């Protein structure tokens, strides 16, 4: 069995598997389709068996069900895993970053996860105005850390600008940011984070499925993926075709997409989702092997020429 490579989560003192487990899909039939509780628990258990130690979840994933299922799967093995959850998007669908609501959210997450601490707590796409240590939100995160309810904190954001703001104006130990072949914009800011000892979690590494290679210009979408316009679908399809030309026909696009993200030493872990064991194992297999410098340079050139400076909605 492949021995998963581990990386430090910045200077937090936490070590994580370089390929983690994104748990948005667990218990989330509305967005991701049917998965029984037994299947979800087995998927988490299998991930642990495959040496995946990092699990990313949130209260609003399946209205709290994602956290519940992870809690059941890791019961008795809590010390073997690193659990990161979020605050601000609540299990009832409410968006609220008020400190008292964030504290209640954390208490509820701990109950669902059947644990007395979170390894990481991230503000879930918070307003830009809150990204300062003087904000009551970050004051609360410091309090929760002092109380032992969380080990590290930060925020989950979408852009390099937000990453830079967090580094300059907060004591965040961990930052989660959208980063993949098609979203290379945060590259410079994650280097700055690395220099400051901040751990980076790369989210959406497969670009919501486009970088698996299974979608093309004729694809139709439902659920959470019905958000793209026809124009955006056609543009992404053209980009996927160009990635395929760079990689060649034989290489797995899933592995290449994850290896692209992991080629950055600044990235501590990346969190692809998986809806079944086959997808999980395919994700994890990317920990073996790497992309050549020639391919990496061509992928960067593609981004610079086709995407940089233009909006590509996630």
């Amino acid at each position: 069995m492949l021995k998963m490579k581990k990386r430090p989560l910045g200077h937090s003192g936490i070590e994580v598997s370089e390929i983690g487990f994104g748990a948005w899909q667990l218990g989330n039939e509305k967005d991701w389709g049917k998965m029984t509780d037994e299947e979800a628990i087995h998927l988490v258990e299998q991930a642990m068996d495959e040496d995946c130690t990092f699990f990313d979840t949130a209260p609003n994933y399946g209205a709290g069900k994602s956290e519940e299922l992870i809690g059941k799967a890791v019961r008795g093995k809590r010390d073997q895993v690193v659990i990161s959850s979020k605050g601000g998007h609540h299990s009832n669908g409410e968006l609220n970053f008020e400190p008292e609501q964030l504290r209640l959210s954390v208490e509820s997450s701990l109950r669902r996860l059947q644990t007395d601490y979170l390894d990481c707590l991230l503000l879930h796409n918070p307003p830009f105005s809150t990204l300062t240590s003087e904000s009551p939100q970050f004051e609360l995160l410091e309090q929760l850390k002092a109380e032992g309810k969380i080990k590290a904190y930060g925020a989950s954001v979408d852009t390099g600008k937000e990453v830079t703001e967090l580094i300059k104006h907060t004591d965040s130990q961990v930052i989660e940011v959208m980063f993949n072949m098609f979203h290379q914009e945060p590259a410079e800011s994650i280097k700055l984070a690395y220099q400051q000892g901040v751990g980076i979690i790369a989210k959406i590494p497969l670009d919501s499925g486009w970088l698996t290679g299974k979608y093309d210009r004729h694809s139709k979408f439902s659920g959470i993926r019905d958000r793209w316009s026809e124009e955006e679908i056609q543009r992404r399809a053209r980009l996927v075709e160009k990635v395929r030309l760079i990689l060649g026909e034989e290489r797995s696009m899933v592995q290449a997409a994850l290896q692209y993200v992991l080629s950055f030493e600044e990235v501590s872990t990346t969190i692809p989702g998986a809806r079944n064991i086959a997808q999980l194992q395919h994700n994890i297999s990317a920990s073996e092997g790497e992309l050549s410098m020639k391919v990496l340079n061509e992928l960067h050139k593609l981004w610079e020429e086709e995407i940089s400076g233009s909006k590509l909605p996630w």
Side-chain angles (χ1 to χ4, degrees):
M1 182 184 293
L2 171 70
K3 184 70 173 175
M4 175 79 74
K5 297 187 187 81
K6 303 295 196 302
R7 298 187 181 196
L9 191 61
H11 291 171
S12 68
I14 301 169
E15 186 181 69
V16 294
S17 55
E18 66 176 13
I19 295 175
F21 185 106
W24 189 5
Q25 74 282 16
L26 299 185
N28 193 352
E29 185 174 350
K30 177 175 74 75
D31 292 331
W32 294 105
K34 183 69 174 171
M35 180 191 297
T36 68
D37 289 3
E38 291 74 21
E39 288 169 334
I41 291 168
H42 180 56
L43 197 57
V44 174
E45 291 173 338
Q46 184 66 33
M48 294 171 67
D49 288 346
E50 301 273 356
D51 214 20
C52 174
T53 63
F54 185 81
F55 294 85
D56 175 271
T57 185
N60 63 316
Y61 293 174
K65 196 73 181 287
S66 173
E67 290 179 325
E68 265 181 43
L69 292 165
I70 290 173
K72 289 177 180 177
V74 307
R75 189 162 45 200
K77 300 179 180 179
R78 176 67 181 92
D79 61 339
Q80 298 175 30
V81 296
V82 175
I83 298 176
S84 178
S85 196
K86 305 182 185 75
H89 293 239
H90 299 267
S91 59
N92 62 359
E94 181 185 4
L95 191 64
N96 190 325
F97 289 91
E98 291 303 315
E100 61 271 19
Q101 290 302 314
L102 287 172
R103 179 177 281 280
L104 289 172
S105 177
V106 170
E107 298 291 355
S108 296
S109 290
L110 294 175
R111 282 195 300 273
R112 286 190 291 265
L113 287 160
Q114 302 182 51
T115 185
D116 55 5
Y117 71 96
L118 294 171
D119 296 280
C120 300
L121 178 65
L122 306 172
L123 298 181
H124 200 169
N125 287 101
F128 191 81
S129 61
T130 66
L131 305 184
T132 167
S133 58
E134 283 78 39
S135 76
Q137 289 81 8
F138 278 91
E139 289 176 5
L140 172 70
L141 295 179
E142 275 291 343
Q143 290 170 18
L144 291 169
K145 187 178 179 185
E147 293 167 15
K149 291 182 177 175
I150 61 175
K151 288 188 175 182
Y153 65 77
S156 176
V157 296
D158 293 342
T159 66
K161 180 181 179 182
E162 292 166 299
V163 172
T164 301
E165 191 77 1
L166 284 162
I167 295 164
K168 288 183 175 179
H169 299 294
T170 77
D171 292 324
S172 295
Q173 299 94 50
V174 184
I175 300 173
E176 182 173 290
V177 64
M178 181 160 55
F179 188 58
N180 62 49
M181 288 182 191
F182 291 167
H183 289 273
Q184 300 184 31
E185 178 269 336
E188 290 305 313
S189 64
I190 69 173
K191 288 179 183 176
L192 180 61
Y194 183 72
Q195 292 164 6
Q196 299 294 322
V198 177
I200 290 289
I201 304 163
K203 66 179 179 180
I204 320 180
L206 302 178
D207 196 55
S208 298
W210 279 100
L211 290 173
T212 65
K214 66 182 179 182
Y215 300 146
D216 60 26
R217 61 184 70 245
H218 306 296
S219 296
K220 304 296 180 186
F221 299 96
S222 60
I224 194 67
R225 291 189 169 110
D226 69 357
R227 63 187 182 269
W228 296 302
S229 68
E230 183 61 28
E231 182 182 0
E232 288 162 358
I233 290 171
Q234 296 305 313
R235 184 182 181 201
R236 268 193 163 79
R238 289 192 297 272
L239 290 168
V240 167
E241 289 166 5
K242 292 184 178 184
V243 169
R244 175 50 70 200
L245 285 174
I246 292 171
L247 298 178
E249 291 298 326
E250 301 305 312
R251 185 185 286 275
S252 156
M253 193 175 285
V254 169
Q255 290 177 335
L258 297 176
Q259 288 166 355
Y260 170 78
V261 171
L262 293 174
S263 71
F264 290 78
E265 64 176 347
E266 300 89 355
V267 171
S268 299
T269 185
T270 187
I271 48 171
R275 293 174 63 184
N276 55 54
I277 299 295
Q279 288 179 359
L280 172 70
Q281 292 177 331
H282 199 174
N283 292 343
I284 287 172
S285 70
S287 188
E288 194 169 31
E290 58 188 30
L291 298 178
S292 69
M293 188 56 66
K294 177 176 181 291
V295 168
L296 291 170
N297 288 337
E298 288 181 13
L299 290 170
H300 181 64
K301 185 180 177 184
L302 173 65
W303 176 78
E304 279 193 324
E305 294 180 350
E306 302 279 348
I307 303 171
S308 177
S310 63
K311 188 168 176 58
L312 187 68
W314 79 278

